[in-house]
Structure formats: C-alpha cells, structure tokens
Amino acid sequence: MSITVTNITKTFGVQKALDDVSFSIKKGEIVGFLGPNGAGKSTMMRILTTYYKADNGNAEVNGFNVLTAETNVQKSIGYLPEHNPLYLEMYVKEYLAFNADVYQVPKSKIAAVIEQTGLTPESHKKIGQLSKGYRQRVGLAAALLHDPEVLILDEPTTGLDPNQLVEIRKLIREIGKEKTILLSTHIMKEVEAVCDRVIIINKGKLVADKKLEELRETEEQIIEVEFDYRVEEQLLNQLPHVSSVKNIGGFVYEITFATSKDMRPAVFDFAHDNQLKTLQLSRKNKNLESLFSELTH
Ligand code: ADP
Ligand code: MG
C-alpha cells in the first residue's frame, strides 16, 4: 500500500476536523479526496505529510509511519499545499534550484521536471510574472524534484481559469501514470476527469469510498413522463433497464432506469406503440454529482 490511514481523529479545540477516518490507497492509484469546504481534507493531508500530528490513529506512507519515520515519509511524498507558497521575486529555475538544495537532489533534475510539467516556455521568467496555471506547474515541478512515490495535491486546480484547469488536469493524469496520487477537491467533476477512485468526507467523517467504474455502473436516471391517458404500471415495467415505476399524479409517471444510456427515446417509442401521446418528457440524472450532494447535505 502507498498510503494507509487507520482510525485517524484530529480535534482543534472543540472542532472535530477528522473523526475516525480509515482508508488505504494502492500503488499507482489516482484517488480524489472529495468534500465540501471544512470537511477535513487539508487536515488529513497535513497529517500524511507529518505537518500535523493526529490525536488518535495512525498512518503510513510508502510503508513508513508518520509518527516514527517522519523523514522517510517526507522523502516519499511530493506535496502541493493548498495555498502554495511560491516566492514571486524568484526566477523559476532559481526557485527549483532552491528546492533541489532543500531536498538534496542534484541540479541536473531541474531540467527534467521543467520539461515534464510543460514549463519550458516560461522557465526563464520570475514566478510573479506567471499565470496561476503556470505557478501551479512550478509547484508541481518542485513536488516532483526528489522523484517521490506519492503525490499529495491539495486543491491543485482551485482558482484556475477553464483552460488552465483542463491543462493541469491533463498534466496530473500524465504524472499519475507513474505515481500514486491523492488529490483533494470540492468538485465532483474534477474527480470524474482525473481519478480512478473517490473518497468522500463530510464533517470529518468518511462517507464513501468507491471506484469510479463502480459508480458509473450504478448510475441511475429518472424519467418523468406525462401521457394523455392512463397506462398500466406493469406495462411500463417491461421497458429495458427499469428499476421502478411510480404514478405521481394524473397521467404522470416517474420511471427509474438503472443505466446511463438515455432512455427518453425508448419511453417515447413505448408511448407511440401503445397509442399514447407523450405530453411531457424529462430526464433527471442520478449521477455522481447527486450522490455527492446526497452524502454531504
Ligand atoms: P478542508 O480542507 O476540507 O476545507 P480543513 O481540513 O481545512 O477542511 O478544516 C477542517 C476543519 O478543521 C475546519 O472546521 C477548520 O476550521 C478546522 N481547522 C483546520 N485547521 C485548523 C487549525 N490549524 N486550527 C483550528 N481549526 C482548524
Ligand atoms: Mg482545504
């Protein structure tokens, strides 16, 4: 396992930031750590990077215990903090050279991470002259310098414009081919775009831990349809993928399908084949987004 978290609890005063959280992450996984603001994401990441100590429980990174093998844990992790403190007056290469010294890695590594993170066209500039997207690349480059096994990225796309967002996500997926990544976000779509798995926390508690594949398979859609006449629910039940049918008043029916394929055409054809007229037809998706809001409200 690249990361193992066992019953971690962390309290600030009376505020329980993390409440008995456990999970583990296999080598090579890209895991989204999803939760609303204040859920405890950054706190967990700071515990994993050894910046905070948990009140209870334990954690291991790359086989090293966060309490007893701090230095080895830090060597195993590339960390991009939430508010990445970059020195705006420093040149990109100067900043990376400074980090190379801190990590005691040879300066020859710098060119490789500049290339890897797509910084080449901006690498002669001062950090203060870069867009937010390029500053994040500098942060990622610094995190990659010592070639860590695990990357911990705290809201790496927050504050980026839509183009930068797409680029940074692409870069993270690229890096994820070789590393284990734990990435926090409050955006479900981000998880869908980048991750293999999602761990959802809310108010310090773990509320879901699922593979994206698994979530997609169980994806449901609800179609609300109004006909011009009554129809036997049994008949509607014969439509493919139906999991339930409910008459919600008049000739209006709510049909739940266990598939992500759009079933509106099938419902429309059904009406036609049964000499019914379709007066209204609408689709509501019970997708990942709604799962997230269900779990965190
Ligand atoms: P997230 O990153 O999911 O937005 P955080 O881990 O930053 O959430 O915060 C979780 C909870 O812990 C919040 O209620 C926050 O106010 C509290 N908290 C985090 N860090 C500290 C701290 N250093 N001192 C006091 N409270 C903190
Ligand atoms: Mg945070």
Side-chain angles (χ1 to χ4, degrees):
M1 287 294 166
S2 281
I3 299 177
T4 312
V5 170
T6 318
N7 307 110
I8 290 274
T9 296
K10 175 76 182 170
T11 308
F12 295 106
V14 292
Q15 173 84 44
K16 223 172 207 180
L18 291 171
D19 188 359
D20 199 21
V21 175
S22 301
F23 59 83
S24 53
I25 297 177
K26 286 201 208 89
K27 193 170 152 78
E29 276 189 299
I30 306 183
V31 176
F33 198 37
L34 181 71
N37 285 326
K41 304 181 294 293
S42 297
T43 302
M44 177 58 83
M45 291 179 149
R46 288 179 188 138
I47 288 170
L48 289 172
T49 52
T50 76
Y51 289 100
Y52 284 171
K53 298 277 169 273
D55 303 330
N56 266 304
N58 216 327
E60 279 183 6
V61 178
N62 202 21
F64 298 111
N65 193 298
V66 292
L67 295 174
T68 58
E70 271 187 44
T71 312
N72 283 324
V73 168
Q74 286 166 10
K75 277 185 188 158
S76 304
I77 292 177
Y79 176 43
L80 184 67
E82 193 169 19
H83 306 288
N84 191 22
L86 295 169
Y87 300 92
L88 302 185
E89 280 305 308
M90 271 193 182
Y91 288 95
V92 171
K93 284 179 184 160
E94 189 188 358
Y95 177 74
L96 292 174
F98 164 75
N99 276 271
D101 282 342
V102 172
Y103 290 125
Q104 295 175 315
V105 300
K107 297 269 191 312
S108 57
K109 279 270 180 191
I110 294 169
V113 295
I114 284 177
E115 164 93 47
Q116 189 183 1
T117 54
L119 268 171
T120 310
E122 305 285 287
S123 61
H124 59 286
K125 291 188 182 168
K126 276 189 177 177
I127 292 170
Q129 296 173 307
L130 302 180
S131 66
K132 178 99 205 287
Y134 273 95
R135 286 183 204 182
Q136 283 303 70
R137 287 175 197 261
V138 176
L140 281 167
L144 286 166
L145 266 176
H146 60 296
D147 199 21
E149 288 276 322
V150 176
L151 279 183
I152 293 188
L153 313 177
D154 199 352
E155 308 229 9
T157 64
T158 297
L160 300 185
D161 73 33
N163 292 327
Q164 297 169 342
L165 201 108
V166 169
E167 288 296 311
I168 293 292
R169 284 177 183 165
K170 207 165 90 188
L171 177 59
I172 292 171
R173 272 201 310 268
E174 199 56 43
I175 296 169
K177 288 179 183 162
E178 287 157 26
K179 310 263 178 209
T180 305
I181 299 184
L182 179 64
L183 152 162
S184 75
T185 176
H186 55 273
I187 309 157
M188 187 74 223
K189 287 218 162 57
E190 177 130 304
V191 176
E192 288 182 71
V194 184
C195 304
D196 313 316
R197 196 175 128 203
V198 61
I199 293 173
I200 306 180
I201 61 164
N202 188 40
K203 295 178 184 147
K205 283 196 160 76
L206 191 146
V207 291
D209 180 349
K210 280 200 183 331
K211 290 214 166 82
L212 272 262
E213 230 167 59
E214 214 178 301
L215 281 173
R216 287 198 190 97
E217 277 166 15
T218 58
E219 202 161 16
E220 289 190 330
Q221 67 184 296
I222 297 166
I223 289 181
E224 195 180 293
V225 58
E226 183 179 5
F227 301 120
D228 65 338
Y229 202 70
R230 184 185 325 283
V231 55
E232 289 298 325
E233 287 175 21
Q234 247 172 317
L235 215 53
L236 285 168
N237 256 314
Q238 288 166 10
L239 282 163
H241 310 294
V242 169
S243 52
S244 70
V245 176
K246 203 162 73 186
N247 176 253
I248 57 169
F251 306 140
V252 185
Y253 298 85
E254 198 181 83
I255 315 169
T256 305
F257 293 94
T259 176
S260 52
K261 181 183 160 208
D262 190 350
M263 294 304 287
R264 281 174 303 180
V267 174
F268 194 84
D269 290 346
F270 166 89
H272 184 261
D273 294 347
N274 288 280
Q275 283 82 48
L276 293 162
K277 286 202 170 68
T278 304
L279 303 179
Q280 286 190 53
L281 184 64
S282 67
R283 170 182 174 177
K284 287 179 276 182
N285 242 23
K286 195 155 186 286
N287 57 10
L288 306 182
E289 202 88 44
S290 58
L291 171 82
F292 178 48
S293 63
E294 252 172 52
L295 288 171
T296 56
H297 275 153

